[in-house]
Amino acid sequence: MSNTSTKKTPYFFPAEVVRAIARAIDSKNDSESLDNKCHDLYLSKNELDQLINIHIYKVIERVELKKSVENELKALVAQIFDDYLKVVATYNLSERNRDDIGPWILEAFFCPNLINIIYFLGIRTKPFEKSDYVKLMVDNSSSLEPAFKVIEKRIEGWNTFYAVLSKNDKDKITAWRRGADLPSRTSLMSIFNTQNAPKNVLVFLLTARAIEYFKRSHESDIFNQYIEQPRSLDSSMVMFEEAIFALETRDTDYVHRLFEKNDDKFRNSISAIRMELLAYSVASFAKNDLEQAKKRFIDAFDLSLYRSGHICEKVIEVGFVIASWQESPDMNLITKLKSIQALYGYTLPTIVTKDTKRKKENLVEDWEINMWRSNAQRVFNEFKVELPEKYKVSSAVLPIRLNAEELTLDLKKPNKKVKINNNDKLHRNKGKSKQVTTQLIWNTLRKDLDAVNQLLQTGADINILSDNNESALLVALQHMNLTDIHEPDDRFYQTLKDLEYVPKTINAMTSKKHLLPLLSAVQTGRTDVVEHILNLGADVNQKGGSGHLDALTTCISLIGTIKNSKMLLKQFSMITEDPETAIARMSDFEFSAFIRETQGSLGLNRQEVTSYLIQSMKSSDEMAILKELSEVFKEHSQANYELFDLREMRKIAKLLIDEGANPSSKYDWHGIDGYTPFLLACELNEAELVSHVLDNATEDSKDEIINMVYRDRRYGKAVGYEKICKHFKADNVLEVIDRHSTLEISDSIS
């Protein structure tokens, strides 16, 4: 994109925000690379996180703050980007331009957030106080003179420290005080990041430098108006959102009036141009002109980004359909659509596999393409367009279909492939219209033990995987899985367990549900099964499942569910009794798993799923089916969860830890960013497991485990074990950690 295109968008690109902060703190990183990203319409969440890490977090780390202060400061920075992208994804400002809206967003959104960070430093960087940082913001001088005056007042022993500085360093400080030039971060660190430097002077001066840079760049006193009329960040954000919603409403009304009057201005408005392009794209698709449909859609999509707010979500859905129905699904376009979906928070980031050839944003699964193909008419209904028959697939959740001859056991060819789901309307990997499995896997799925034994006796290869990456062993483990709604059956595992498996089979992840043999083994609740799978070469830290969790996190999470299994049943009952609340309360990962299971047959987003379930409640027949399913679920779930033994689950957790499971492995869950198995054990007051983790940790790793924090996205706060334990009244865990911390101090003294 050119600079002119960037200026036309009312919203700043997130990379531009990174660059502004990087310049204020003099990051000194590769500016050309960052400049290029500032023109990238399709910047991904992963790329943004990397930019924040390289250009902002790395600088924070080099200041050598107290770890808790560093973590909270990073959390506050990350929250600015989360909240800003939420605004970009929600409010349509298509009719505004950068020159008009940019300064106002800077003043009304970013300024309160920056002041919030500065106030935080005023609380956490003693001996400096909040009032000292306020002086930096309100002072009208164009130098760092006020900063050094505060230092002279606050820092005991400053004169002694200053006296021993070299003449060159003293000259630099004198120049900075006069305002001849802003100090570079490198120069500040060379003087104040030394062993003899007074505590927190470096962070105070870096903040002063950033404030002075901000003032010089914008020639504004916008800090002053917030200092003179102080209010909380929350109230500032409420006022900002109310104002931006008013702007959106005003623009919508304006465009609507132009349309009604048939005014020429309407045809030249961004909103009208985008909708015209989109309508042309949809019409071309309905006429089977897929190439033209894609071309016009891309034009409409580009005009939506950083402009159209919530409308962008619907535009993306159209794009998924068009890209998925191309003769060869356009993976490049789908990748861009998924990337923006994740960046704007419309959906979850893609689950990562170990395939190093594909970035996480590039990981597009077959079931997703099938979901958009099969929901083409639903998406296009909003445009009142009836699609030709070829685009109508009744559901992405297809029944298994086999020909009669394929059901016949062929012992002469024990590795014969079985073809299922024969539907050429749906996309299949490698251009296949059919999914393929083996007779052994198929008969294990069907629970035909005689057929499985016969196939094994005639030489069936247990290491051949299905197209879906299933193995017969995985299917056997799933038959024992106590989290599934069935009566557990270990006959197939007993038949298959003592055979020779290659590591690829043991670590193969299925393509839709992301099942892994080790995760399935943990969900059996049996230590012997988990130990066996580990001995076969399972990677103890591999992540999978709908929540993208490792085995230790899965195990500890199960311990929590077992302790309160009634809550699980209550959540499911709520789907039939109060679907609106049930869907709203689902975490992103839970809802993602729901969509994965239903493949869009009940809707493509929370609003559609909620509407479908509410509508179903009005139908007595559908409601009866839902209630019957609910009762079956509750009956089987209750029976299965009663088979779990908490002592056995704790043994499994300890076994995983002994085998090298990482207690600091991060994952995202329920709106929090960076939870770990250790923090989850703290939440559940699992003192026995916490003690086992710390007993088996080295001194270095113990420090990392205890000091790990997560970021609460709702409040932008970094939260560690102490806050978690106090909130969940996990006093037993606090005693264990305190005991280990005391022992560590005693050892260092001795």
Side-chain angles (χ1 to χ4, degrees), residues 272-442:
I273 294 170
R274 182 185 61 240
M275 290 310 298
E276 186 176 355
L277 287 167
L278 206 57
Y280 189 31
S281 172
V282 169
S284 298
F285 183 88
K287 294 174 183 175
N288 209 28
D289 189 348
L290 300 184
E291 194 59 38
Q292 188 68 11
K294 183 173 74 170
K295 181 180 178 182
R296 293 306 182 197
F297 168 77
I298 291 172
D299 292 338
F301 181 47
D302 286 356
L303 276 180
S304 298
L305 296 177
Y306 300 98
R307 288 186 176 94
S308 64
H310 54 91
I311 295 170
C312 193
E313 185 170 13
K314 290 298 179 186
V315 173
I316 288 172
E317 289 181 358
V318 172
F320 274 129
V321 171
I322 291 172
S324 297
W325 270 104
Q326 298 294 311
E327 186 172 345
S328 291
D330 189 332
M331 305 304 277
N332 185 45
L333 177 54
I334 291 173
T335 294
K336 290 178 179 178
L337 294 168
K338 284 199 71 173
S339 178
I340 297 299
Q341 257 197 332
L343 185 70
Y344 282 11
Y346 294 143
T347 189
L348 278 181
T350 305
I351 290 177
V352 187
T353 71
K354 284 195 167 182
D355 188 348
T356 55
K357 295 178 182 178
R358 308 175 76 179
K359 295 179 181 178
K360 63 171 76 173
E361 288 84 14
N362 290 338
L363 190 60
V364 180
E365 300 171 74
D366 287 345
W367 73 268
E368 295 175 273
I369 296 174
N370 293 338
M371 179 179 77
W372 292 109
R373 284 191 170 212
S374 61
N375 281 284
Q377 187 60 63
R378 172 184 281 158
V379 171
F380 280 40
N381 278 341
E382 287 201 25
F383 298 87
K384 297 181 173 56
V385 171
E386 187 71 19
L387 292 177
E389 193 62 34
K390 73 167 281 188
Y391 297 118
K392 294 182 180 178
V393 181
S394 59
S395 173
V397 186
L398 296 176
I400 299 288
R401 291 179 182 150
L402 290 168
N403 295 326
E405 62 269 18
E406 290 178 319
L407 286 171
T408 305
L409 200 61
D410 189 346
L411 297 176
K412 291 181 179 179
K413 299 178 182 177
N415 293 322
K416 177 183 175 182
K417 298 293 179 69
V418 177
K419 298 174 182 177
I420 58 177
N421 285 357
N422 184 7
N423 190 321
D424 56 12
K425 287 186 178 182
L426 295 187
H427 168 67
R428 296 295 177 208
N429 195 23
K430 299 174 185 176
K432 296 176 181 176
S433 62
K434 302 174 183 179
Q435 285 184 302
V436 178
T437 189
T438 67
Q439 290 190 92
L440 180 63
I441 295 169
W442 174 244

Side-chain angles (χ1 to χ4, degrees), residues 22-28 136 144 147 181-185 188 203-215:
R23 286 174 175 173
I25 60 178
D26 194 30
S27 180
K28 294 290 186 191
L136 302 179
L144 265 65
D181 197 7
L182 282 177
S184 71
R185 178 179 60 83
L188 286 172
V203 68
F204 185 71
L205 286 173
L206 274 174
T207 306
R209 188 222 187 266
I211 291 171
E212 183 63 24
Y213 174 87
F214 188 90
K215 289 179 179 177

